[in-house]
Amino acid sequence: MITHTFTNHLLESDPFDYSQKNKEIFLNSFKENALHHYHKHEFTRKLWDKLGFHPDMLKSEADLASVPGTMVHLYKEHELCSVPKEELALVLTSSGTGGQKSQQFLDQESLANVKRLALTIHQSLGMADSRQYNYLCFTYDPAVANDLGTAFTDELLTNFTGKNEVYYAIQWNEKIQDFELNEKGVLETLKRFEASDIPTRILGFPALLFEIIEKNNLHLNLGKDSWLQTGGGWKGKADKEIPKHEFRKMIHDRLGIPVEHQRDLFGMVEHGIPYVDCAQGNLHIPNYARVYTRSPRDLSLLPKGERGLLHFLCSYNFSYPAPSLLTTDYGRVGTCTCGIKGDTLILEGRAGVSKHKGCALKALELLKV
Ligand SMILES: [Zn+2]
């Protein structure tokens, strides 16, 4: 397996150490990754040439903000890959709740990198643990859906602790030839886990858990050592979304899981970096990525703290040419008082699904190189 020296060095470093030295490690790793895609991926090279950008122009932290973002839609419409297909170890697909599916291509090195950085981030946030847990995962059984992003994530997350029983709630139904939520199974599993001496970890979509608790009027006590790790947002259930602090309180009241053990994760299949909550419930940005916000009108860089379209940089993936990804999600870069170094990511909804699409977005969709 090939290893890229600077990126290997980055992934050995503490994800929340934002010292000058560590920031330089990210800069070098990003440059290494961008040069790789520039040479191996014709589309990226032509796009950057056209926009007057070359990875050799990256000399300082400030230069990183000048890397042109490639619109997320392009990755949904085209199969963009920087290595021959036979070198791929895994193709990840988003769960695709309506609309187009997203894919990410991972060769062996990139797959090892993403697993490694996810572990380091969770360890640094105090979430990895060698003791045993019972897992209830509101996702597809990875034995039958290993290429789905959510199933991959959940299987990955269950490996950060010792595990006793793992129950996957979305199961394949032979009769209807489709996946379905086994709600009866979920309720039985929760009661079994409540009675067990082993603490519980629940992984899943917040909307689904919220619905099950309400519908079945659940009042359980899973114990102070149990955890809830959510992800995937309130996709398709945005009308029912409740603020995070209310959701955390409700989960504490109804399932007995301490508020500081409830951690949300934001990730995009095309980007792959996990942004994970600290005990205070803020998504922290690791030094394995950079997050900028841009004006929806002209894509100009906005000052830190201002709301705009999220623009992500990362450097771990050498098979998928998305080192600089411009999304259709709104957000801000914030700060947290928990003591973990670095900035936080504040999500503020999705752009582009409605009529209020900025013209820069429309223009980018039409941009063909
Ligand atoms: Zn924090």
Side-chain angles (χ1 to χ4, degrees):
M1 188 170 83
I2 316 161
T3 45
H4 288 84
T5 318
F6 289 112
T7 300
N8 191 43
H9 192 191
L10 174 72
L11 299 184
E12 278 169 358
S13 70
D14 178 344
F16 300 107
D17 173 355
Y18 275 88
S19 60
Q20 195 53 38
K21 181 174 157 259
N22 239 24
K23 287 205 260 187
E24 273 168 33
I25 294 175
F26 178 77
L27 177 70
N28 288 331
S29 166
F30 185 84
K31 197 167 157 182
E32 175 178 65
N33 186 273
L35 275 169
H36 166 87
H37 292 299
Y38 184 82
H39 292 301
K40 303 280 181 182
H41 196 250
E42 193 188 354
F43 175 88
T44 301
R45 182 169 61 250
K46 285 187 173 169
L47 178 69
W48 287 354
D49 282 347
K50 193 172 174 173
L51 298 170
F53 171 76
H54 190 283
D56 283 338
M57 292 159 73
L58 299 171
K59 309 257 189 251
S60 71
E61 176 71 31
D63 295 337
L64 288 167
S66 68
V67 184
T70 307
M71 192 66 201
V72 69
H73 288 192
L74 283 171
Y75 299 90
K76 296 183 199 291
E77 286 159 13
H78 304 277
E79 288 197 348
L80 305 182
C81 192
S82 300
V83 296
K85 287 274 166 76
E86 55 273 20
E87 287 179 22
L88 295 177
L90 184 69
V91 177
L92 279 181
T93 311
S94 76
S95 47
T97 45
Q100 282 164 316
K101 289 202 174 185
S102 311
Q103 282 193 318
Q104 198 201 100
F105 302 109
L106 294 148
D107 63 5
Q108 226 177 29
E109 181 191 12
S110 309
L111 179 61
N113 284 351
V114 76
K115 286 185 173 176
R116 192 170 154 196
L117 68 87
L119 172 63
T120 316
I121 289 169
H122 284 83
Q123 279 172 335
S124 301
L125 293 169
M127 297 167 72
D129 190 345
S130 59
R131 70 189 281 189
Q132 299 275 309
Y133 288 88
N134 284 320
Y135 277 90
L136 166 60
C137 304
F138 282 95
T139 43
Y140 304 88
D141 184 344
V144 273
N146 198 28
D147 60 337
L148 281 170
T150 50
F152 171 78
T153 308
D154 277 13
E155 199 184 21
L156 190 65
L157 294 178
T158 60
N159 287 332
F160 298 161
T161 69
K163 53 187 169 187
N164 184 47
E165 181 184 340
V166 182
Y167 183 86
Y168 290 100
I170 301 181
Q171 298 162 358
W172 180 254
N173 184 331
E174 265 312 313
K175 263 192 220 149
I176 57 167
Q177 287 290 299
D178 203 355
F179 287 99
E180 64 174 5
L181 174 73
N182 186 343
E183 196 170 329
K184 191 166 161 269
V186 167
L187 298 174
E188 285 167 7
T189 301
L190 279 170
K191 293 200 172 114
R192 188 166 67 253
F193 287 179
E194 184 189 30
S196 164
D197 292 337
I198 297 168
T200 301
R201 287 201 180 215
I202 300 175
L203 305 182
F205 306 109
L208 204 50
L209 188 59
F210 178 76
E211 270 184 3
I212 288 179
I213 291 171
E214 289 284 283
K215 197 173 142 195
N216 300 285
N217 194 24
L218 287 183
H219 286 89
L220 301 170
N221 186 3
L222 295 168
K224 62 175 179 41
D225 293 327
S226 291
W227 290 71
L228 169 65
Q229 291 168 251
T230 48
W234 290 67
K235 251 184 257 168
K237 311 257 180 199
D239 55 320
K240 294 199 178 131
E241 181 164 357
I242 54 171
K244 200 190 234 177
H245 68 276
E246 276 177 39
F247 180 75
R248 281 158 66 98
K249 186 178 179 303
M250 181 232 188
I251 294 295
H252 174 253
D253 294 346
R254 305 290 284 269
L255 300 180
I257 299 175
V259 165
E260 61 276 16
H261 283 187
Q262 297 176 38
R263 308 291 183 95
D264 196 33
L265 178 153
F266 171 76
M268 292 182 71
V269 165
E270 295 87 355
H271 178 54
I273 297 282
Y275 297 89
V276 186
D277 271 347
C278 63
Q280 289 188 19
N282 293 314
L283 299 167
H284 278 258
I285 302 170
N287 184 47
Y288 305 150
R290 290 292 179 270
V291 181
Y292 304 106
T293 57
R294 298 198 171 268
S295 157
R297 275 182 294 280
D298 59 7
L299 300 182
S300 58
L301 183 69
L302 296 173
K304 188 181 151 186
E306 270 188 38
R307 183 177 189 269
L309 292 173
L310 290 169
H311 175 199
F312 294 109
L313 302 188
C314 66
S315 65
Y316 71 89
N317 196 331
F318 289 87
S319 40
Y320 190 66
S324 175
L325 184 76
L326 186 65
T327 74
T328 51
D329 291 315
Y330 277 113
R332 284 186 292 128
V333 174
T335 52
C336 182
T337 55
C338 72
I340 294 166
K341 295 276 188 298
D343 295 326
T344 59
L345 172 61
I346 302 161
L347 301 171
E348 300 205 328
R350 178 153 289 191
V353 263
S354 67
K355 48 217 178 284
H356 308 293
K357 206 179 268 189
C359 45
L361 274 179
K362 272 196 187 139
L364 270 175
E365 276 169 34
L366 298 171
L367 179 71
K368 296 274 184 276
V369 181

